[in-house]
Amino acid sequence: MFDIGFSEVFVIAIVALIVLGPERLPKAARFAGLWVRRARAQWYSVKSELENELADEELKRSLRQAQDDLRQVQEQLRNSDQAVRNEVDELNRSIAAPVGVAAATQPALEAPADSGEAATAAAPPAVESAAPADDYTGAALPDYRPASTAQTPNDERR
């Protein structure tokens, strides 16, 4: 802080001894030491408070960054969840559509009995489906979410 060498301190001590005298010099030295200690303590207090404030600001900044990252990940998860739901709904519609189309077109493919063989030859062959003969055109799409919230044996291990 200050560039004071040994020779300068020695000169200050000699001047203080001459000015104050041998009776008051120890008391003045104690008083000066007290003020130096208080000044150092105050300096260290201010320094530690500034370091704590900087650490708090850094922590707040990192928390804000973590929150922003979590929001981005949450938004990505929502988007991917919505995309997966849309794909599942589309697959369910595509699965349900051929069953409904096959059931709806089957009566139109049958030829009337009085038209003869010419009508049956012009009609395309009936498509055999692996689905049951029931009409599923009005059926709701399946719900793949869990039906109940009761605990299973596997839930207890988590």
Side-chain angles (χ1 to χ4, degrees):
M1 206 156 124
F2 297 109
D3 192 21
I4 299 176
F6 178 74
S7 61
E8 294 163 341
V9 171
F10 185 70
V11 170
I12 292 171
I14 296 294
V15 170
L17 181 61
I18 293 172
V19 171
L20 295 174
E23 295 94 24
R24 290 189 298 187
L25 185 61
K27 191 185 262 187
R30 273 188 244 120
F31 187 71
L34 174 71
W35 280 102
V36 168
R37 279 193 300 268
R38 284 185 182 174
R40 280 186 181 171
Q42 190 67 26
W43 171 253
Y44 287 131
S45 172
V46 168
K47 184 179 174 184
S48 67
E49 192 172 317
L50 282 173
E51 288 174 352
N52 287 339
E53 287 294 322
L54 290 174
D56 289 345
E57 287 298 319
E58 181 65 30
L59 182 62
K60 287 177 185 177
R61 191 177 313 119
S62 66
L63 283 175
R64 277 190 227 115
Q65 180 66 33
Q67 285 176 340
D68 292 342
D69 292 344
L70 285 174
R71 284 188 190 115
Q72 289 175 355
V73 168
Q74 190 177 29
E75 187 64 31
Q76 288 175 352
L77 284 174
R78 283 186 185 141
N79 291 341
S80 64
D81 178 47
Q82 188 62 36
V84 168
R85 286 179 187 263
N86 290 341
E87 288 180 21
V88 167
D89 290 344
E90 187 64 34
L91 283 172
N92 285 337
R93 282 189 210 106
S94 67
I95 290 171
V99 171
V101 170
T105 58
Q106 212 166 23
L109 293 178
E110 294 177 5
D114 62 342
S115 65
E117 289 182 22
T120 55
V127 176
E128 299 213 13
S129 70
D134 295 335
D135 185 17
Y136 291 110
T137 55
L141 296 175
D143 187 12
Y144 293 110
R145 288 177 274 163
S148 68
T149 58
Q151 279 193 341
T152 63
N154 289 335
D155 289 341
E156 293 173 5
R157 289 187 232 158
R158 293 183 190 163

